[in-house]
Structures are given as C-alpha cells and as structure tokens.
Amino acid sequence: MKRNRYSFSRPIKTRNPLPVVVVVCDDTKTAVAYFTALKHEIKAKLTLEVVAAPCHGATPDNVIKEAINRAKALFGGTSDGEDGGDAVWVLIDLEKEIEKQEQTKKAKECGEKENIKVALSNPCYEVWTLSHLVDTGEAFHDCQAVVQRIKKEWKSRFGADFGGKKAKADYGKIIPLRSDAIKRCRKHYSHDPSWTEVYELVEYIQKLCDI
C-alpha cells in the first residue's frame, strides 16, 4: 500500500507578503501616537508594528531587551533588513542626562550585535515632531523647551492648539510633511546641538513603501 505523500506533510511557514518593520519606543505615548498615525497611511504597503515601552520610565536596556524579544517572536530571531526589508528599530531619547547617555551607549552596542537598529534623539524625540513644522538648528536644553516651540509652530501652521497632552495631538496633520522633516533632520544631524536620528527610520520606511 502506497503512503499518500501529502498525508503527513508539515505545515508550511509562509512569510508575511508585506515587509515588517517593528518600532519599539522608549516612551508609552508620544512616539507611539505618531507612528500609529503613520501605520494607518502605509498599511497597504508595509506592516508597521508599533510597540510602547515595556513600562513608564523604562531604561534603555529594558527597551533593547523588548526589541530583541519582539524580533525573536516575529522573525524567529533578529533581522538585518535583508529579508524583504524586515527590521526592528528602537527609539531612545538622550535627554541631556549623563547617566542615561552612558546606559544608552551600552544598550545600543548590545542591540546592534543583534541587528537591532537604534535611532537616538538629543535631547528628545520631539525634535522630530518639530522638524515637520520648522527648519531649525537651535539648541534645546530639554524636552519641555522643544515642546514649547512645537506649540508655537503648531498654532501658527494649523490655527489650533497642539493639545494639552502630547499623546493627544492629531499627528495625522503632520504625517504629510514627513519628507520635509527628513531633509531638515539630515541637514542638521551632523553638527547641530539638538538632533534626531528618527529621520533614518522614516526614510527607511518610505523606501520600503516606494514613496
């Protein structure tokens, strides 16, 4: 009696037809809100997984470990972006704190060994938000200073308040301005006192989406 060669076939693991980019944030609200808005716009071309920090006030090490765990769960290991563009990115703020900067340096080295891409911001992620609204090479002492400038430029651009809480802002309004933000951040990255590498992530996403 011949055995049907299909009777005991193993299930075939199929790859997501769209590239998968995982973004692990070091906060639980602001960056999460922006990339969730971007996710809705590009969902037909790319699967964007937006992950909040594992807890409020998470350390850079906590965030990197979360990214490594996500990579293992989604890809069976970490990804270097060669498999159709799949990649895991981490966003970390430096915030002018020496201790955190030292922690971030170690965490970044750990992440890069696992092919995790790390995008830093000095002093904070909000420099990326601001770059959608104005071209500035200013030095900002802390995150609050950046947010105050955002509120001013947001009001000027949209005729409405930015919002009492950063996470509640309508980031959909600035998503169409992201190409300008990329150009501005690239220009200011290498020599200005306040800068962000988030533009590298968004540029990576746009190339995958061919937009």
Side-chain angles (χ1 to χ4, degrees), residues 123-158:
C124 59
Y125 168 86
E126 282 73 17
V127 172
W128 170 247
T129 303
L130 180 61
S131 68
H132 291 70
L133 303 169
V134 65
D135 187 359
T136 175
E138 295 175 45
F140 293 96
H141 177 68
D142 55 23
C143 187
Q144 186 58 35
V146 184
V147 172
Q148 288 303 315
R149 184 62 185 277
I150 290 173
K151 289 181 177 180
K152 176 183 177 181
E153 298 298 337
W154 191 283
K155 181 76 171 181
S156 175
R157 172 70 68 116
F158 301 115

Side-chain angles (χ1 to χ4, degrees), residues 3-154:
R3 176 179 293 176
N4 185 329
R5 66 189 181 95
Y6 297 106
S7 298
F8 302 101
S9 61
R10 295 179 180 179
I12 299 173
K13 184 179 180 181
T14 58
R15 181 184 177 278
N16 190 321
L18 298 177
V20 178
V21 174
V22 181
V23 180
V24 182
C25 309
D26 74 344
D27 75 336
T28 58
K29 296 179 179 179
T30 310
V32 174
Y34 177 91
F35 281 95
T36 298
L38 178 59
K39 174 180 179 177
H40 293 314
E41 180 168 321
I42 62 175
K43 62 183 179 181
K45 297 185 177 182
L46 181 146
T47 299
L48 184 61
E49 297 288 343
V50 186
V51 183
C55 61
H56 179 70
T59 66
D61 187 55
N62 292 150
V63 179
I64 291 294
K65 287 179 179 178
E66 178 69 19
I68 293 173
N69 289 336
R70 291 280 173 163
K72 290 178 179 178
L74 291 169
F75 308 132
T78 53
S79 174
D80 60 8
E82 294 180 356
D83 184 15
D86 294 350
V88 179
W89 287 72
V90 169
L91 308 182
I92 301 179
D93 292 354
L94 294 178
E95 298 177 349
K96 300 292 185 180
E97 298 175 6
I98 299 300
E99 182 179 357
K100 184 171 183 181
Q101 290 177 5
E102 293 175 350
Q103 293 175 351
T104 299
K105 180 180 178 181
K106 294 179 181 178
K108 183 172 182 176
E109 291 173 352
C110 178
E112 289 177 343
K113 289 178 182 178
E114 300 291 338
N115 292 319
I116 302 295
K117 303 177 188 299
V118 181
L120 305 179
S121 295
N122 185 34
C124 59
Y125 168 86
E126 282 73 17
V127 172
W128 170 247
T129 303
L130 180 61
S131 68
H132 291 70
L133 303 169
V134 65
D135 187 359
T136 175
E138 295 175 45
F140 293 96
H141 177 68
D142 55 23
C143 187
Q144 186 58 35
V146 184
V147 172
Q148 288 303 315
R149 184 62 185 277
I150 290 173
K151 289 181 177 180
K152 176 183 177 181
E153 298 298 337
W154 191 283

